Structure formats: structure tokens, C-alpha cells
Amino acid sequence: MRFNNATQRIFSDTIRPIVLVWETNDRANPWSAQARLVRNDGTKKVVLRFGQVSAARKKEAKDMAAQSAFEWLRTQYP
């Protein structure tokens, strides 16, 4: 939620945040996720990709990716 809110405050309607989650074959960490900033002009062009994270649960992977992106936004746009 904080990643979404921060992105909206900084970029308004020009860029939107997304977090992609997918299942992997790793038994210890079967879920991977990556946060991205995407143009909101219909082209869906990726502006920025943040690091990929893995976790045992889907929600955990998604939360970790969003938190990582949020922390980056905080450092770039205090």
C-alpha cells in the first residue's frame, strides 16, 4: 500500500506501480516477485524494475518486493 501511495504522490497519473508475482520450482522459496514502475499512457512501457525477491509464501514475496521499491522511492524522493 505504501508503494502505491508513494508512487501516486510522486508521479501523479503519469506512472503507476505494479508488483508481479510468479511461482518457481524452488522448494524452499517457491514464490518470486518484482516491483515495477510502468508508464500510464496506454503503452505499458516499463520505466523501472526493482530487484527480484523470493519467499516461501506468495503474499510475503509481494510485500517484500513492494517494500524494497518503497524504500528506494524514499531515498530518491525524500
Side-chain angles (χ1 to χ4, degrees):
M1 182 66 80
R2 294 188 301 176
F3 176 49
N4 292 341
N5 292 342
T7 303
Q8 288 174 356
R9 272 185 298 220
I10 295 167
F11 300 111
S12 188
D13 290 334
T14 59
I15 294 176
R16 69 182 175 94
I18 61 169
V19 178
L20 300 176
V21 183
W22 60 92
E23 197 168 7
T24 67
N25 291 328
D26 183 356
R27 289 185 179 170
N29 294 309
W31 293 98
S32 287
Q34 184 180 54
R36 296 179 181 185
L37 295 177
V38 180
R39 286 196 184 278
N40 199 24
D41 61 1
T43 63
K44 295 186 179 181
K45 183 176 180 179
V46 175
V47 175
L48 183 62
R49 289 185 177 105
F50 297 95
Q52 183 176 321
V53 297
S54 296
R57 289 186 228 126
K58 183 178 182 179
K59 183 178 179 347
E60 185 181 2
K62 189 172 182 177
D63 289 347
M64 288 170 49
Q67 182 64 32
S68 167
F70 173 71
E71 293 298 330
W72 182 86
L73 285 173
R74 282 183 51 190
T75 62
Q76 298 301 309
Y77 302 94

